[in-house]
């Protein structure tokens, strides 16, 4: 029986979905073989058991889909289309087997319909598997954020859109303060918990169209479309405050305070993506030099100094 995926992280959820799709393929190949044996084995010979179609969910995949259909990773047209084909397959098999059990004849048209729906179901399963595997290849397995391999292409697309539509867009770098000390003092497992906690905060507190990437180590990159630097500063200050207010509980029960320094720069027509990231990195360095747990943004990336945000409150 499939289980709910509602309580696990995105990376784990995608892994569980892939496992369910793979299991559904094996399950329905076995069902098809069982249904065919039921139709061709002479009366009186032992046969593979056939599922009872009087139940609402007569296979594990049906039960799993019913339980998880409103999960945000499942609630999408391609998955619902697969579920519809799955329901049609079982309905066709029920009509075919019920008719055979009544009069001993195989309805050739219904058998052909069942076969076609099985082929369609298997093909849709394979397409979904490929889609979820592609999505997983774009995601950092530890944090569930997008990985660096997909970042440059996404940022290039956003820069092109920003220039073409004359819409402000910003890039921000988020770096966890004293993260090496966390690993050295508490171990890498605790460091992983901190990374996962901060990644969850970033993903749940940015705007719906912002994207978060794991840039490297303890550093994350955020792309903020349709945001001038004043708007960007407000979003980043909110993130900084939430991170500061969200200490991580380690496996031994101890509470670990966490803060982050953040630097940001706007996309411009005259700078490449690499140069914009470099400007954000310079702003991040200024935040670190200013005492950490701060944000610094470039109002004008051609100037020589990144400035603190309007909401920035210096910390000792």
């Amino acid at each position: 029986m499939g289980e709910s995926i509602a309580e696990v992280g995105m990376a784990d959820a995608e892994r569980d979905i892939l496992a369910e799709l793979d299991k559904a393929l094996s399950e329905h190949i076995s069902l098809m073989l069982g249904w065919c044996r039921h139709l061709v084995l002479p009366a009186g010979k032992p046969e593979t058991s056939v599922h009872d179609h009087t139940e609402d969910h007569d296979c594990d995949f049906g039960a799993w889909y019913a339980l998880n259909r409103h999960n945000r990773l499942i609630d999408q047209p391609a998955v619902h289309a697969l579920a519809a084909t799955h329901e049609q397959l079982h309905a066709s098999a029920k009509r075919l087997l019920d008719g055979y059990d009544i009069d001993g004849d195989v309805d050739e048209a219904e058998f052909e319909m069942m076969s076609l729906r099985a082929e369609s179901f298997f093909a849709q399963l394979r397409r979904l598997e490929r889609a979820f595997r592609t999505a997983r290849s774009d995601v950092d397995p530890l944090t569930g954020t997008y990985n660096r391999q997909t970042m440059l292409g996404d940022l290039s697309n956003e820069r092109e859109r920003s220039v073409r539509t004359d819409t402000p867009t910003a890039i921000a770098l988020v770096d966890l303060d004293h993260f090496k000390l966390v690993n050295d003092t508490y171990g890498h497992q605790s460091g992983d918990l901190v990374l996962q906690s901060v990644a969850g905060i970033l993903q749940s507190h940015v705007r719906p169209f912002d994207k978060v990437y794991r840039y490297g180590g303890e550093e994350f990159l955020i792309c903020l479309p349709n945001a001038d630097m004043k708007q960007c500063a407000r979003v980043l200050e909110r993130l900084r405050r939430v991170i500061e207010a969200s200490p991580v509980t380690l496996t031994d029960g101890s509470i670990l305070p966490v803060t982050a320094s953040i630097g940001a720069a706007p996309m411009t027509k005259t700078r490449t993506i690499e140069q914009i990231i470099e400007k954000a990195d310079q702003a991040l360095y200024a935040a670190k030099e200013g005492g950490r747990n701060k944000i610094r943004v470039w109002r004008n990336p051609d100037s020589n100094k990144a400035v603190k945000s309007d909401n920035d409150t210096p910390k000792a």
Side-chain angles (χ1 to χ4, degrees), residues 5-6 42 53-54 70 80-81 106 150-151 161 167 186 192-194 200 229 251 259 266 273 282 295 303 308:
I5 61 174
H53 289 273
T54 61
H70 298 301
H80 296 323
V106 176
T150 67
M151 183 188 73
R161 184 196 62 82
T167 304
Y186 300 97
D192 288 349
L193 287 176
V194 172
M229 295 316 292
T251 52
T259 62
I273 290 298
Q282 291 175 21
I295 72 170
S303 67
K308 67 182 182 181

Side-chain angles (χ1 to χ4, degrees), residues 195-241:
L195 288 171
Q196 291 169 333
S197 174
V198 172
I201 290 171
L202 296 179
Q203 290 177 298
S204 60
H205 286 80
V206 295
R207 302 167 306 166
F209 38 83
D210 298 333
K211 293 186 77 170
V212 181
Y213 305 85
R214 188 174 181 193
Y215 189 61
E218 71 274 22
E219 202 166 17
F220 298 90
L221 184 146
I222 307 174
C223 180
L224 299 103
N226 305 316
D228 60 25
M229 295 316 292
K230 188 172 183 178
Q231 294 168 311
C232 174
R234 285 199 297 266
V235 172
L236 298 179
E237 176 62 16
R238 180 173 71 247
L239 292 176
R240 186 198 66 79
R241 290 177 182 272

Side-chain angles (χ1 to χ4, degrees), residues 171-174 229 232-233 236-237 240 260-266 279-299 305-315:
I171 288 176
L173 289 176
V174 180
M229 295 316 292
C232 174
L236 298 179
E237 176 62 16
R240 186 198 66 79
S261 301
I262 306 174
K279 282 294 183 182
D281 193 52
Q282 291 175 21
L284 172 62
Y285 181 78
K288 293 282 190 182
E289 286 291 291
R292 293 184 170 85
N293 193 22
K294 294 180 175 63
I295 72 170
R296 293 288 186 268
V297 301
W298 287 98
R299 303 297 191 193
K305 185 177 181 181
V307 299
K308 67 182 182 181
S309 79
D310 295 337
N311 298 322
D312 183 49
T313 302
K315 302 290 178 182

